[in-house]
């Protein structure tokens, strides 16, 4: 299983960006999907979570500015970031709880649920 993130870039304060992250591989189902951010020298911080049923939760710092969504048919999570601020500058990572197919004894069966990470995508906001 791989998670591929895209959509980062450089914008001025007040601008917008939309991040995407798609999971590919032998996937049975995907439960929660999340976006994190990380700045140099600090731990990753949870930005937003969305369940399979589209229930969402946000960090206080992004409430009212960021919107997380997902397309279950495409195994994709999105993060619409509006009114960006300089302090939003970070590497953004996607993360998902994924159940995979396992091949054993000449047959496929549902494997365990595990958490997977995508590669980061840089977001730079200039003031």
């Amino acid at each position: 299983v791989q998670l591929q993130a895209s959509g980062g870039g450089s914008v001025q304060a007040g601008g917008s960006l939309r991040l995407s992250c798609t999971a590919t591989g032998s996937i049975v189902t995907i439960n929660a999907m999340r976006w994190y951010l990380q700045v140099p020298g600090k731990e990753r911080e949870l930005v937003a979570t969305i369940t399979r049923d589209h229930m969402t939760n946000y960090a206080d710092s992004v409430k009212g500015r960021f919107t997380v969504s997902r397309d279950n048919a495409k195994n994709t999570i999105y993060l619409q970031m509006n009114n960006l601020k300089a302090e939003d500058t970070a590497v953004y990572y996607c993360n998902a709880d994924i159940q995979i197919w396992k091949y054993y004894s000449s047959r496929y069966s549902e494997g365990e649920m595990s958490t997977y990470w995508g590669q980061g995508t840089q977001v730079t906001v200039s003031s």
Side-chain angles (χ1 to χ4, degrees):
V1 172
Q2 287 190 328
L3 291 172
Q4 181 70 41
S6 61
S10 297
V11 296
Q12 291 194 333
S16 297
L17 283 173
R18 189 190 194 212
L19 306 183
S20 301
C21 177
T22 298
T24 58
S26 298
I27 296 170
V28 176
T29 190
I30 302 176
N31 285 352
M33 303 183 82
R34 309 169 189 88
W35 287 102
Y36 285 76
L37 65 81
Q38 187 170 27
V39 297
K42 292 190 175 182
E43 294 187 355
R44 288 183 190 181
E45 300 176 14
L46 181 60
V47 175
T49 302
I50 185 166
T51 68
R52 183 166 184 82
D53 296 332
H54 302 276
M55 305 249 330
T56 60
N57 195 34
Y58 297 93
D60 288 342
S61 60
V62 305
K63 283 181 180 176
R65 300 188 298 121
F66 290 10
T67 301
V68 64
S69 60
R70 66 189 282 174
D71 184 332
N72 289 334
K74 296 181 179 179
N75 292 335
T76 299
I77 182 175
Y78 305 96
L79 186 67
Q80 178 66 43
M81 305 186 292
N82 297 330
N83 191 21
L84 282 160
K85 304 176 180 180
E87 51 264 42
D88 295 322
T89 296
V91 178
Y92 285 73
Y93 296 88
C94 57
N95 159 301
D97 299 332
I98 301 175
Q99 184 181 28
I100 63 172
W101 289 106
K102 294 181 69 175
Y103 186 73
Y104 183 75
S105 296
S106 302
R107 67 183 186 91
Y108 284 94
S109 61
E110 296 180 357
E112 68 277 8
M113 185 76 68
S114 299
T115 300
Y116 295 84
W117 287 91
Q119 93 291 0
T121 185
Q122 176 72 45
V123 171
T124 303
V125 184
S126 57
S127 57

